[in-house]
Structures are given as structure tokens and as C-alpha cells.
Amino acid sequence: MPIDLLPSMATQVARASNQYWALCWRITLTKVANRVYRFTDSSEPLTFPDGEVFQAMDGMSGSAQQRADSFKGINRDLRGLISDSQITDADLNRGIFLDAYITEYLVDTRLAGIGPINVTQYWVRAMEFDGSVWNVEVDGTTSQFDQPVGDYWGKTCRVEVFSKGNGKCNLQETNFRNQVLVASVINERSQFTCNSVHPFWNTNFYGNDGTCTFVNGLNQGFSARIKLTTGTLGVITVTLSERTPYPIQLADFLELLPGCNKRQGSTGHCGPEKFSNTPNFQGEPFIPGGDRSSKGAALN
């Protein structure tokens, strides 16, 4: 499906004058309140009519934008060397740019004061670092229409623990959140011990599949899934499912939240053994399984 160019853009294409074009990016973080970045690939800062200034940034490039008809989203990668002091490797490693909202402007550097030629909006969905260059995958606004709609039926709970709203878990995080300090480091990137005042965390496996969030230190803001917890006499050993960006240090302040196996019954976490939240269980534990006639004979 061809794209209809604006008259001003079509004229410049005809004159082969696109060497004056530049891209500007406004990056609004969703994980950190009130933090906005403004950059341009132009060699000089650009100022928009409302006084918004986009600072020059070297080493940034983007793949060609792929647009499709109907509601298919924009497919694009951005990659570059981070040369601006506002964006640090520490912030990138902590993942605060994930789900950031980006507005991209195409401007004529000779006429930046009259505003952009074209505007594109998208979200950061994935990031990776190869040791020297950051690579970012983005989704356009129309990708919001390409999402699954509706619930599914099954024996396990279909919602996330601590989710809020009608038909959600509705457990209060504050009743289960465990705020602790690292007491010793077993593996500097994935395993440590901490002291806990919450007696239920002394139960082995209580925190499995939960989350660990670093409140301060080198890994501040980083959250990881908990693979395993064991506890006795107020000392908890925590093993993370993924490595932290930086070494874990003594006295790092953490917030731990337990996970849920989304099951009812004697082994389920929704019952009285853990959360006592059976009324909010969003699953169908007695739904029929496969047809018994297709299972074959059982050997005694």
C-alpha cells in the first residue's frame, strides 16, 4: 500500500533536497516519573515552535521503517553508541527504558522552527547490548490493535498475583511485601542471604516465582524473578532466575514479593496454606480434561 506524501515532502523529494532532513526523538519514560529525553541526529540542536529543544546526539541510526496496510504496526530497530551523559549504561542495564514512549519527528533543519514534516509514535519493547552498541526494538501505536482479546478457561488461575480490579487477584501487596537488607553474598550476581522479620518467609519455597526489586545500590530499580527461597531462623537464602546487571553488595536494600503457582487444592497457593484468597481464584479447577476413552487402558 503506497504512502501518500505531504505536499511539502513530495516537493523536497522531487528536488532531491532531503539532505536537510533530520530525526528528532522525545523519549518519555514510563518506569520513572517525570523523566523525558530529547535528542536529534542533526549535527546541531534543533528548537521547535513551542521552545522545545532537541540536543544533538552522535552515533544513532535506525533501520528502515516498514509500514503495512490494515492495523499492522511499524516494524523498526534503533541502534547506536550512547554518547550523551543524560543516558547512562547503569540506567540502560536496569531496564528503565523498557516500555518508554517515543515520539519521532522528521524535520527540515532549515525550517525546524515551523515544526515537523511527519510524526511517528511507538514504544520500546526490547533492548539488548552487545558490549559496545545498544539495539532497541520498537512497536508502533497500531500494534495495540494486534493483541489477544478475552480470557481463556483452564484449571489454573488466569490472572497475575496482586493484580487489581474486577475479576483480578486483589491481594494487597503491603501484606506480603518483605523489605530486607542483604546479609551475605553467595553468588555476586544471583544468590544471597538476608534477614527477615516475616515468619512466613521462613517457609521453604515461599518466595518461589516472586519478584526481587533493588531499592538502592548499583542495581537500583532492577527487578528479577525469584527462582528459589529457603529460610530458617529468620535467615532467607534467595536464588534469582536471572543475573543482576551489577554485583550484589552487602546492605543492598531489597523488596521481596512472593509468587503464586496459580493453583487451588492441597498444593495450590490460593488456599489457606499461603494466600487464603480462594474467593478471588480466577480459574476452573473442575473443568473436564481430555476424553477418558482416548487415554487407553491403565495397567495395574
Side-chain angles (χ1 to χ4, degrees), residues 169-189:
C169 175
N170 289 309
L171 282 175
Q172 295 298 322
E173 290 186 19
T174 53
N175 296 336
F176 299 92
R177 183 183 292 119
N178 197 5
Q179 297 179 326
V180 297
L181 294 173
V182 173
S184 66
V185 178
I186 302 172
N187 183 301
E188 66 175 12
R189 304 283 288 276

Side-chain angles (χ1 to χ4, degrees), residues 195-216:
N195 297 318
S196 172
V197 297
H198 290 281
F200 45 75
W201 277 88
N202 288 318
T203 304
N204 287 340
F205 320 127
Y206 184 86
N208 289 14
D209 297 320
T211 56
C212 169
T213 302
F214 289 78
V215 179
N216 66 358

Side-chain angles (χ1 to χ4, degrees), residues 221-234:
F222 177 77
S223 292
R225 183 166 292 276
I226 298 172
K227 179 180 180 180
L228 174 68
T229 62
T230 56
T232 179
L233 301 177

Side-chain angles (χ1 to χ4, degrees), residues 14-244:
R15 294 176 179 176
S17 59
N18 58 354
Q19 66 266 30
Y20 295 106
W21 292 355
L23 290 173
C24 296
W25 295 280
R26 183 196 297 116
I27 306 172
T28 303
L29 301 189
T30 58
K31 294 182 179 292
V32 180
N34 303 318
R35 189 180 297 187
V36 181
Y37 299 89
R38 297 172 179 86
F39 300 111
T40 177
D41 62 1
S42 172
S43 59
E44 300 291 338
L46 298 178
T47 303
F48 276 17
D50 58 0
E52 190 174 18
V53 179
F54 293 80
Q55 299 297 331
M57 187 179 198
D58 297 329
M60 181 69 72
S61 65
S63 66
Q65 283 189 7
Q66 296 180 5
R67 295 173 183 265
D69 57 4
S70 70
F71 287 109
K72 295 181 180 179
I74 295 173
N75 177 18
R76 192 175 194 193
D77 292 344
L78 297 173
R79 61 187 63 84
L81 300 170
I82 304 303
S83 60
D84 195 281
S85 59
Q86 295 183 61
I87 297 181
T88 65
D89 279 341
D91 283 344
L92 290 164
N93 279 324
R94 283 193 285 266
I96 66 173
F97 283 88
L98 287 175
D99 298 324
Y101 179 64
I102 300 178
T103 305
E104 180 183 271
Y105 303 96
L106 176 65
V107 299
D108 186 327
T109 56
R110 302 165 300 177
L111 303 170
I114 67 173
I117 299 171
N118 191 44
V119 180
T120 306
Q121 297 172 320
Y122 41 75
W123 284 265
V124 174
R125 294 308 186 200
M127 301 178 65
E128 63 179 12
F129 184 50
D130 66 4
S132 60
V133 177
W134 285 95
N135 189 69
V136 179
E137 296 179 11
V138 298
D139 278 344
T141 54
T142 53
S143 65
Q144 306 303 307
F145 296 97
D146 191 26
Q147 303 297 323
V149 177
D151 289 329
Y152 60 89
W153 296 69
K155 294 186 177 183
T156 57
C157 185
R158 68 180 65 89
V159 300
E160 296 299 322
V161 64
F162 305 120
S163 57
K164 301 294 190 298
N166 185 34
K168 299 294 184 180
C169 175
N170 289 309
L171 282 175
Q172 295 298 322
E173 290 186 19
T174 53
N175 296 336
F176 299 92
R177 183 183 292 119
N178 197 5
Q179 297 179 326
V180 297
L181 294 173
V182 173
S184 66
V185 178
I186 302 172
N187 183 301
E188 66 175 12
R189 304 283 288 276
S190 63
Q191 191 176 44
F192 55 88
T193 67
C194 52
N195 297 318
S196 172
V197 297
H198 290 281
F200 45 75
W201 277 88
N202 288 318
T203 304
N204 287 340
F205 320 127
Y206 184 86
N208 289 14
D209 297 320
T211 56
C212 169
T213 302
F214 289 78
V215 179
N216 66 358
L218 296 175
N219 294 302
Q220 181 179 4
F222 177 77
S223 292
R225 183 166 292 276
I226 298 172
K227 179 180 180 180
L228 174 68
T229 62
T230 56
T232 179
L233 301 177
V235 178
I236 308 170
T237 300
V238 179
T239 304
L240 303 180
S241 295
E242 54 191 300
R243 289 163 57 87
T244 59

